Amino acid sequence: MLQTSLAHPAVALALRLAEHDAPQLGAFARQLFRNAQADDLQGRNGADLAELARGAFDQFSQRLPGSPKLGMDVTKGSAVISIINDDMPFLVDSTLALLSAQGLEVRMVLHPVIGVRRDAVGRLLALDEDGGVPENGHRESFIHIELGGLKAGAVSQLASEIEITLQQVRRAVLDWRPMLARVEQVIGALETSAPPLPVEELSESIAFLRWLLANHFTFLGLREYRYEPDGSGLR
């Protein structure tokens, strides 16, 4: 995977311009561009990237705790999407999968995870550019995506689908440990109160569930079935 460093000429100029505007903007810009893809920067100059950083920082400057913040700027079939969220797995992959399923052209993706401290109404008080977290702070994910191929009239629908995707990711992440605990309960029940099944079948089922728990499966949801002995089957 090709990556750029902060020494890339366009990035270096953007950082100087951002630092000149404000030290906190400069610190944010360093996080924003630290792992940018070299291919994404083709045709971009320092002034372009500095303006990108300013707009991203404006979005990042305030966010209510515990909920994602989605921004979309659309111009003639192109769109810039910004997503600020509590740091958690699956955010980028889930969002990009949604965009890909809709046939949209992804032209740039930036995804820094930044340690921040905010006040009670979500205003940014401090950020850490060295991978740490300020005292009484937490980590936040900032996703910047530039798109092409967005059809007129599709903006509201896309925004709605992104919000639904982010909600589903949050639910899956928050429910992950309870789901693991529920599988452990099922294993315990099979071991202590086994149904009238062959020993080999029970052993295989328990071994399979333990294999799932050993980081071989990503639990995104759970459904329980109840067997009705009157012949009506599973419910």
Side-chain angles (χ1 to χ4, degrees):
M1 181 181 295
L2 294 176
Q3 290 186 332
T4 185
S5 70
L6 298 183
H8 185 284
V11 172
L13 176 56
L15 295 181
R16 290 197 296 272
L17 293 172
E19 184 71 29
H20 181 267
D21 285 353
Q24 195 172 58
L25 172 59
F28 174 81
R30 282 189 288 276
Q31 292 276 46
L32 183 65
F33 296 122
R34 189 180 302 279
N35 293 314
Q37 299 293 308
D39 290 347
D40 289 347
L41 296 174
Q42 290 183 0
R44 309 295 289 263
N45 59 44
D48 290 338
L49 296 180
E51 187 61 29
L52 186 162
R54 292 186 192 100
F57 185 68
D58 286 344
Q59 290 284 334
F60 192 75
S61 294
Q62 185 161 1
R63 177 185 79 96
L64 291 176
S67 62
K69 178 182 178 182
L70 172 65
M72 292 186 66
D73 184 11
V74 181
T75 307
K76 295 181 180 179
S78 299
V80 175
I81 300 172
S82 62
I83 302 170
I84 308 136
N85 211 339
D86 301 311
D87 182 37
M88 61 186 72
F90 315 127
L91 289 172
V92 175
D93 290 344
S94 299
T95 302
L96 292 180
L98 169 65
L99 300 177
S100 176
Q102 299 197 6
L104 297 171
E105 177 192 359
V106 176
R107 297 172 176 169
M108 172 181 273
V109 178
L110 302 172
H111 179 224
V113 176
I114 306 173
V116 304
R117 184 174 74 252
R118 297 184 183 273
D119 65 14
V121 295
R123 287 177 298 214
L124 183 65
L125 299 178
L127 64 85
D128 193 304
E129 60 177 297
D130 297 320
V133 179
E135 186 177 358
N136 299 319
H138 60 281
R139 294 186 188 278
E140 291 188 359
S141 161
F142 180 82
I143 305 174
H144 171 95
I145 302 174
E146 297 184 8
L147 287 176
L150 185 62
K151 296 180 180 178
V155 178
S156 297
Q157 180 66 25
L158 178 60
S160 176
E161 292 184 6
I162 291 174
E163 289 174 347
I164 291 170
T165 297
L166 297 175
Q167 291 170 4
Q168 291 174 338
V169 169
R170 180 175 289 270
R171 288 178 185 144
V173 170
L174 292 178
D175 288 346
W176 176 65
R177 291 193 182 281
M179 285 190 283
L180 296 185
R182 185 68 185 93
V183 177
E184 290 280 11
Q185 291 174 8
V186 171
I187 292 172
L190 290 174
E191 291 176 334
T192 59
S193 304
L197 294 172
V199 173
E200 295 81 4
E201 186 172 338
L202 282 172
S203 298
E204 183 178 350
S205 297
I206 292 171
F208 175 67
L209 292 174
R210 291 202 179 281
W211 181 84
L212 294 179
L213 290 176
N215 294 323
H216 291 115
F217 186 76
T218 299
F219 289 85
L220 299 178
L222 182 147
R223 178 180 293 177
E224 293 195 25
Y225 293 90
R226 184 175 70 252
Y227 179 74
E228 298 293 341
D230 60 4
S232 59
L234 294 175
R235 293 184 180 177

